[in-house]
């Protein structure tokens, strides 16, 4: 289940300098958004907090870890307009004016991180992928594949009741996570950290594992039917699980306890997604609705009503202003995440919409369909800007590379394809699987792809 990015008119960069960060406050005044913030909260003094780790969050943000009152907390800083031409020194000075956690002694570290992002954004886009490894990963069919943030390793789930961890560079199996009593269906790393793995199973449990040692930290019990979707929050403090029992649950990663149960859907929950600040989560259901929940209280904030068939996919954009939903009713809908009102209905597909996603800046939305085509829409104008046609079967999965310069699709025609999202041109066909491809993903740099197929193999493309 994917999760990603977009922008709102109320979050424009300051006009006097090329500043590619975006806040969420009125008029773009608030630079840093924090999970525990409230609109009335005064800015905390840096003397009350000790800044710890600073790390990258995708291609368009950084995360600050800090300790306040003995408690570890996080803040995210958006860099949605970062480009190869941005003056990084001026950018960091603007960030420091609004964020007292970044002291003079940490300035160079932040500059270094953003320069790394800038370098990756400027890399050439004419990369051709070749088949690096074919992994006969499991004795029974795969269910899902997922990278850690760096792309150094990835995981596969299977009907054989296991999850396996693989080294990307060598294609070697690192370890097998055993313990579930039924199909391992939903899997995820706690990116951007990547030190933990969650597995959700048809045995009605979710397990939390060490990515390094394979140790099982917790088994989360409480659902009364299969777990089919799960997600970490970006802060890596909670895991959300969605189940065929019509409920979702939030679990505390540290103590293994259930924090809250989200009840209100009248049918199975098959998609869920946290926003980047961690204070909201959405659940998509076969009851044709998506619900926005308050993470802290479990309270239902909005029910997004409009689709006329089952929900297939739902996610927030990066700056938490928009939600995109896909449905078996052949449409994709765009919603205001704050008010819960529908912004647009994106039409054009002739069959069920199977997957939807934002690019990492939120400027574009991509949809894939059972009609064998994919489409790209401008998030601001709501217009279709490209049609991706060429697959000979339904497209079950679609995603942008982190740079936003390529789209990857996986199809029942046994191929995956790379596309130019601006022109709709097919750049490359990844061939070789002997059965339907149901899962595909880019690594963080966008230079490695994994594909998972019903032929029981996983392929690494470099």
């Amino acid at each position: 289940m994917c999760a990603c990015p977009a922008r709102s008119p109320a979050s424009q960069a300051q006009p006097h300098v090329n500043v590619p960060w975006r806040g969420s406050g009125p008029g773009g005044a608030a630079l840093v958004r924090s999970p525990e913030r409230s609109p009335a909260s005064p800015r905390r003094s840096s003397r009350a907090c000790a800044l710890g780790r600073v790390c990258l969050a995708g291609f368009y943000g950084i995360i600050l870890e800090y300790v306040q009152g003995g408690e570890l907390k996080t803040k995210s800083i958006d860099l949605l307009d970062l480009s190869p031409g941005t003056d990084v020194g001026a950018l960091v000075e603007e960030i420091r004016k609004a964020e007292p956690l970044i002291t003079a002694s940490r300035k160079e570290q932040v500059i270094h991180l953003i320069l790394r992002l800038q370098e990756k954004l400027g890399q050439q886009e004419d990369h051709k992928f070749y088949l690096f490894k074919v992994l006969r990963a499991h004795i029974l069919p795969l269910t899902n594949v997922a990278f850690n943030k760096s792309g150094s390793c990835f995981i596969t789930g299977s009907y054989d009741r296991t999850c396996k961890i693989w080294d990307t560079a060598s294609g070697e199996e690192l370890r097998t996570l055993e313990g579930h009593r039924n199909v391992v269906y939903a899997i995820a790393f706690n990116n951007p950290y990547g030190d933990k793995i969650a597995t959700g199973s048809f045995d009605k449990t979710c397990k939390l594992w060490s990515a390094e040692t394979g140790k099982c930290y917790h088994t989360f019990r409480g659902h009364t039917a299969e777990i089919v979707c799960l997600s970490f929050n970006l802060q890596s403090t909670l895991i959300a699980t969605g189940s065929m029992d019509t409920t979702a649950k939030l679990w505390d990663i540290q103590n293994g306890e259930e924090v809250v149960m989200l009840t209100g859907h009248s049918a199975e929950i098959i998609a869920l997604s946290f926003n980047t600040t961690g204070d909201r989560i959405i659940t998509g259901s076969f009851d044709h609705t998506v619900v926005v929940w308050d993470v802290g209280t479990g309270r239902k904030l909005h029910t997004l009503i409009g689709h006329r068939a089952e929900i297939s996919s739902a996610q927030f954009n990066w700056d938490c202003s928009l939600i995109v939903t896909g449905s078996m009713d052949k449409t994709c809908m765009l919603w205001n995440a704050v008010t819960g009102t529908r912004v647009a209905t994106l039409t054009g597909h002739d069959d069920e919409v199977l997957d939807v996603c934002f690019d990492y800046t939120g400027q574009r939305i991509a949809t894939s369909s059972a009609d064998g085509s994919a489409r790209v829409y401008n998030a601001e104008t709501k217009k279709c800007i490209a049609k991706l046609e060429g697959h000979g079967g339904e497209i079950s999965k679609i995603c942008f590379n982190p740079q936003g310069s390529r789209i990857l699709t996986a199809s029942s025609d046994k191929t995956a394809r790379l596309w130019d999202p601006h022109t709709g041109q097919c750049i490359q066909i990844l061939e070789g699987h002997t059965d339907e491809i149901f899962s595909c993903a880019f690594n963080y740099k966008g230079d490695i792809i994994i594909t998972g197929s019903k032929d029981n193999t996983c392929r690494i493309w470099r």
Side-chain angles (χ1 to χ4, degrees):
M1 304 300 153
C2 15
C4 289
R7 73 191 71 216
S8 68
S11 57
Q12 298 302 309
Q14 308 297 339
H16 60 279
V17 66
N18 181 17
V19 181
W21 47 255
R22 297 196 183 276
S24 57
L31 164 63
V32 180
R33 293 176 287 109
S34 166
E36 73 286 350
R37 85 203 187 294
S38 67
S41 300
R43 180 173 284 127
R44 296 177 176 87
S45 166
S46 60
R47 292 190 298 272
C49 309
L51 181 62
R53 185 161 56 163
V54 181
C55 60
L56 300 176
F59 267 73
Y60 298 96
I62 57 176
I63 294 174
L64 309 179
E65 283 188 355
Y66 64 99
V67 177
Q68 184 180 43
E71 183 181 351
L72 182 65
K73 299 184 179 182
T74 61
K75 291 183 178 181
S76 61
I77 297 177
D78 299 340
L79 303 167
L80 297 186
D81 288 343
L82 185 66
S83 71
T86 300
D87 183 336
V88 174
L91 168 62
V92 173
E93 280 304 315
E94 289 291 328
I95 292 174
R96 287 191 60 216
K97 289 176 185 176
E99 181 43 68
L101 280 172
I102 302 175
T103 59
S105 64
R106 304 301 290 270
K107 175 182 173 181
E108 290 303 315
Q109 181 188 5
V110 175
I111 288 175
H112 175 70
L113 276 177
I114 297 176
L115 283 172
R116 279 174 53 195
L117 284 182
Q118 195 176 45
E119 180 183 357
K120 291 181 175 70
L121 287 170
Q123 289 172 348
Q124 293 296 314
E125 303 301 344
D126 56 0
H127 182 77
K128 286 287 183 182
F129 290 85
Y130 68 92
L131 179 62
F132 173 65
K133 286 271 186 176
V134 178
L135 308 179
R136 309 208 175 272
H138 295 266
I139 57 173
L140 292 176
L142 298 169
T143 57
N144 235 317
V145 297
F147 273 112
N148 66 348
K149 193 195 85 166
S150 69
S152 61
C153 62
F154 65 92
I155 50 178
T156 55
S158 172
Y159 278 81
D160 69 8
R161 307 182 179 187
T162 71
C163 174
K164 293 190 176 187
I165 308 174
W166 305 84
D167 179 77
T168 308
S170 65
E172 298 298 315
E173 180 184 328
L174 296 176
R175 57 192 57 85
T176 299
L177 308 180
E178 298 179 294
H180 281 295
R181 298 185 176 186
N182 208 328
V183 175
V184 174
Y185 192 76
I187 56 177
F189 278 99
N190 66 329
N191 291 334
Y193 305 104
D195 61 336
K196 296 181 180 67
I197 293 165
T199 55
S201 171
F202 285 2
D203 68 9
K204 309 172 190 176
T205 72
C206 173
K207 290 179 181 285
L208 179 68
W209 313 80
S210 165
E212 185 63 35
T213 67
K215 174 186 176 182
C216 181
Y217 292 124
H218 303 296
T219 299
F220 304 116
R221 294 184 172 89
H223 282 296
T224 58
E226 297 92 334
I227 293 173
V228 293
C229 52
L230 60 78
S231 179
F232 287 93
N233 64 348
L234 190 62
Q235 295 73 27
S236 196
T237 57
L238 296 172
I239 295 173
T241 53
S243 170
M244 302 296 274
D245 66 11
T246 77
T247 73
K249 292 176 182 284
L250 304 183
W251 311 86
D252 186 293
I253 286 177
Q254 286 300 112
N255 61 29
E257 298 295 320
E258 180 181 323
V259 177
V260 70
M261 180 166 68
L262 309 178
T263 60
H265 282 294
S266 59
E268 298 92 330
I269 292 174
I270 51 80
L272 50 76
S273 175
F274 282 99
N275 67 355
T276 51
T277 54
D279 59 351
R280 300 285 183 268
I281 188 171
I282 50 176
T283 53
S285 170
F286 279 175
D287 66 11
H288 306 184
T289 72
V290 172
V291 175
V292 184
W293 310 85
D294 181 281
V295 169
T297 65
R299 186 167 63 93
K300 184 189 295 187
L301 299 177
H302 307 291
T303 301
L304 311 184
I305 299 173
H307 283 295
R308 293 183 292 178
E310 294 93 334
I311 302 298
S312 60
S313 184
Q315 67 172 231
F316 281 97
N317 63 355
W318 176 265
D319 74 4
C320 313
S321 63
L322 294 172
I323 294 166
V324 65
T325 57
S327 169
M328 301 302 183
D329 67 8
K330 309 178 187 178
T331 72
C332 169
M333 291 186 180
L334 201 57
W335 311 79
N336 182 308
V338 178
T339 65
T341 55
R342 184 170 23 168
V343 175
T345 300
L346 309 180
T347 60
H349 285 295
D350 298 324
D351 208 336
E352 299 166 345
V353 172
L354 301 178
D355 196 22
V356 297
C357 67
F358 284 103
D359 71 359
Y360 282 68
T361 65
Q363 296 172 330
R364 293 163 297 177
I365 297 159
T367 61
S368 68
S369 171
D371 67 12
S373 75
R375 287 173 175 252
V376 184
Y377 298 86
N378 182 298
E380 186 174 353
T381 67
K382 323 300 187 294
K383 302 295 185 185
C384 179
I385 54 178
K387 298 176 185 178
L388 316 183
E389 297 174 328
H391 275 298
E394 67 177 34
I395 304 172
S396 59
K397 180 70 178 176
I398 189 165
C399 58
F400 284 89
N401 67 347
Q403 297 93 330
S405 59
R406 292 288 181 266
I407 285 176
L408 177 64
T409 53
S411 172
S412 62
D413 70 4
K414 308 175 189 176
T415 73
R417 292 186 178 227
L418 282 158
W419 311 82
D420 184 321
H422 305 288
T423 65
Q425 178 187 358
C426 179
I427 304 297
Q428 189 176 356
I429 303 175
L430 305 181
E431 297 179 290
H433 281 293
T434 58
D435 206 340
E436 173 181 342
I437 302 175
F438 57 82
S439 188
C440 60
F442 283 102
N443 69 335
Y444 170 69
K445 290 183 180 179
D447 59 359
I448 303 175
I449 289 169
I450 45 173
T451 52
S453 168
K454 285 186 177 178
D455 65 11
N456 285 18
T457 71
C458 182
R459 290 178 176 239
I460 306 174
W461 311 80
R462 306 188 73 125

